[in-house]
Every structure is written in C-alpha cells, then in structure tokens.
Amino acid sequence: MSVSDLIRLMSDGAFHSGEALGREVGVSRTAIWKQLRKLEGLGLSVETARGCGYRLLNPPEPLRGADIVANLSRPARQCLKHLFVEDSTGSTNTFVLERFAQGAGHGEVCLAEWQSAGRGRRGRSFYSEWGGNIHFSIGWQFESGVGALEGLSLAVGVIMADLLSERGIDIQLKWPNDLLVSTASGMSKLGGILVEVRGDTSGPCQVVIGIGVNVRLSEKGRAGIEQSVTTLSDLAPDISRNALVSAMIEAHMQMLGRFEETGFTAWHDRWNDYHVYRNRPVQIYQGSTVSEGMAKGVDDTGNLIVSIDGEDKRFAGGEVSLRGRS
C-alpha cells in the first residue's frame, strides 16, 4: 500500500474507520495509522473522531487519466501519444526530457500528484503538496530549430490566461512566465511556466513545456513560500483539476501544431493585453545592475520593451528579472 492509495480512498472527505481502510488495501490498522501520520508532511490534514474513524479535511481531487482523456476531442486524442499520471516524481519536465532521451517524448504529457524536485525559471524550486498543484509537462519536437521557438513560453502564457479567464479568473501575465492574480494582499502568483529545449539551432529540437498551477495550499505551505501566492481553491473552488488538465492538453495540442508555422506573432497582441506591467514603471535586474524605466509591451519575438531614459530597450527572458515599482 502506498500513501497515494490511502489518499485516493479518503478523497471523498467522509469518515473511514482504520479497520475499513485496512480491509480495502489489505494491511493492518497499525499500518494504516503509520501511513496517516505521513500525510501532514504532504500538506494534508486528517481529522480523527472516536467511533467514526478518520477523514481528510479539504481533500484533494486525485488525477484520473481515463477522465482526462475522455474529455479530449478526437484530434487532441490523436495527437496525444501517451499520458503519464504519476503519484510522485522528481520533476515532470525531467520525466519528459528522459522520454526524449529514450526516443519517445513527442506528444507525451506527464502529470504528477507530487514533485520532490520541481523547478522554475533560473533554477528556483517549485513547492509541492500532494494533489495541491497541477504539475504538467508536455513534450514536442520541432523541425525548424531553436530559432523558431522565440516567444513560445509567452504563447503558453496566453493560452493558460485564456483558459483561466474562461473559468472566471482575472488572470494577468508577468513577463516572461508568471501567472498572476490581483488579491487583497496585492499581485499574487497562481502559477508559472518553464520551457526547456534540447537540440540543434537549425535542425530538429525537443521542447518540454512545464506548467505549475497552485490548486490548494496548506497554511504551513503558504508560510514557507517567500512571495504572495494564491490558489484555484481561493479563486474558483468549483474548478475540477481533471477538467482543467484536459483543457490544457487540448489547447496545447492546437497551439503547438500552429506555432512552428506562425511563430509568436499569432499570440503577440493577446499577450500584451494580459501584461500586468504594461505602461507601468518597473525595475530591471541584470545581475547586480538595476535599471528603472517604463514597461511597454513585448515585440514579435517575445522580448520585453522598456523605455529607459527616453530610449526603448529590449530584453530577452534569460537575461533579467522584472519587478514593478510604485
């Protein structure tokens, strides 16, 4: 029996006796009790009631591969070569990169209930609780080389903003890869995007698009994150994690099939519409150098345009960090 088996059994939020849980998975009540003690470390809370047993408070919605695939259109199902739903993994991006190394990866999606080594832009770690996030990675092979991928992460931002906006969330995009929402505590991060590329500058290359979205977070988890964050359960608790993942796969299959032909141009205007700092003062951090200016939009290749001392300057995503200023 794994901890994940136990969580899935208790995901209905009802009370379950230790005896019944043990009978379901074929272990002793003592083994169940030992597994229940591990749940707090995964961001889950268990209520114990004499005569009733145990139940999960604010239980997560487990990922269900069959439900996710059933909600896809026929064209999307044909493009989806393989869907992996993992209980835990180091990183879903690493998982798909390893699939490419094995000669697969294209059109494959990896999801995980929990990540032990998730990462974001510039090597930052990505906090994870069991069932508390959408950890999503999709692999795609492009034939036109790395140069054809300029602005890809921004196009991903647009389709994620569209999906979340359709579900009633007033999303904004922070260049180059953050999904933000205005909350009582200011702009709070809902998720982020990490695109990793392997291959030739002019020949075939493999791309892994990783997306992390906060679904629910414990108070302990929030306290351990050094920036203001929000979750889907804060903003729109009726959103199904499985339904949203299906929509993400659908949208990415459509976008990736088109991106190599058009480049970022097709998503350029919409990204600027979502841009949280457009026509606002910002600070640009390049190592130990800090510049101040007025953010404009992005150009057709996804570079950020900032007016500094009356001159428009362009910045690429790997070079800098961006912050708003009052």
Side-chain angles (χ1 to χ4, degrees):
M1 177 194 66
S2 70
V3 172
S4 295
D5 293 332
L6 185 58
I7 294 170
R8 289 191 175 90
L9 282 173
M10 300 177 68
S11 64
D12 58 3
F15 279 105
H16 299 263
S17 70
E19 181 179 356
L21 289 170
R23 189 165 55 246
E24 285 279 353
V25 295
V27 299
S28 67
R29 292 177 62 181
T30 301
I32 291 292
W33 180 76
K34 289 179 178 178
Q35 293 288 57
L36 287 169
R37 294 184 65 185
K38 297 178 182 179
L39 298 189
E40 186 175 346
L42 297 174
L44 301 172
S45 298
V46 179
E47 179 183 7
T48 304
R50 186 179 296 274
C52 296
Y54 311 95
R55 70 169 179 169
L56 284 178
L57 299 176
N58 189 24
E61 176 194 4
L63 294 168
R64 300 182 179 90
D67 293 348
I68 291 167
V69 173
N71 283 329
L72 297 176
S73 67
R74 177 174 293 181
R77 286 199 300 270
Q78 291 172 339
C79 290
L80 179 64
K81 305 304 181 186
H82 205 126
L83 174 64
F84 297 92
V85 181
E86 303 294 310
D87 285 341
S88 65
T89 187
S91 159
T92 55
N93 263 30
T94 299
F95 185 101
V96 180
L97 286 169
E98 290 174 350
R99 290 288 296 170
F100 273 122
Q102 297 163 11
H106 176 74
E108 297 189 347
V109 172
C110 179
L111 309 168
E113 296 287 9
W114 181 76
Q115 287 189 141
S116 61
R119 59 188 184 277
R121 181 170 171 258
R122 304 176 79 179
R124 297 186 181 94
S125 61
F126 188 90
Y127 179 76
S128 178
E129 296 180 349
W130 200 103
N133 307 82
I134 291 173
H135 305 298
F136 174 105
S137 295
I138 182 169
W140 203 261
Q141 178 156 314
F142 287 82
E143 301 302 326
S144 301
V146 174
L149 304 179
E150 292 180 326
L152 177 60
S153 65
L154 277 69
V156 174
V158 170
I159 64 173
M160 286 303 301
D162 286 346
L163 288 175
L164 293 166
S165 295
E166 290 166 3
R167 288 157 178 78
I169 297 175
D170 186 13
I171 201 78
Q172 293 179 280
L173 297 174
K174 177 189 171 187
W175 182 87
N177 65 349
D178 285 350
L179 308 171
L180 303 181
V181 177
S182 178
T183 65
S185 58
M187 296 308 301
S188 299
K189 185 172 179 178
L190 177 63
I193 298 158
L194 176 66
V195 175
E196 298 185 273
V197 182
R198 301 287 186 272
D200 203 306
T201 55
S202 57
C205 59
Q206 295 81 43
V207 176
V208 178
I209 296 168
I211 301 169
V213 179
N214 301 324
V215 177
R216 49 177 292 282
L217 279 172
S218 65
E219 290 304 315
K220 180 181 178 181
R222 291 174 193 265
I225 298 174
E226 295 180 352
Q227 66 185 112
S228 178
V229 295
T230 189
T231 70
L232 292 180
S233 63
D234 297 332
L235 303 166
D238 292 335
I239 291 178
S240 160
R241 195 161 63 124
N242 286 287
L244 181 55
V245 167
S246 293
M248 289 168 64
I249 294 173
E250 187 86 33
H252 278 81
M253 292 302 180
Q254 294 176 12
M255 183 273 287
L256 289 166
R258 183 183 176 197
F259 189 91
E260 194 162 13
E261 299 176 4
T262 68
F264 176 57
T265 303
W267 292 271
H268 168 266
D269 290 344
R270 280 157 60 210
W271 195 95
N272 282 328
D273 289 340
Y274 284 118
H275 182 18
V276 65
Y277 293 136
R278 190 175 189 182
N279 299 321
R280 291 178 55 188
V282 294
Q283 293 176 317
I284 301 290
Y285 289 78
Q286 296 174 283
S288 60
T289 302
V290 181
S291 304
E292 295 188 348
M294 186 70 66
K296 294 188 174 181
V298 295
D299 63 20
D300 285 345
T301 60
N303 293 321
L304 179 69
I305 304 171
V306 181
S307 177
I308 299 175
D309 297 328
E311 179 183 354
D312 286 352
K313 296 188 176 181
R314 284 170 166 77
F315 299 91
E319 299 174 351
V320 299
S321 293
L322 174 69
R323 297 181 192 173
R325 64 181 177 89
S326 56

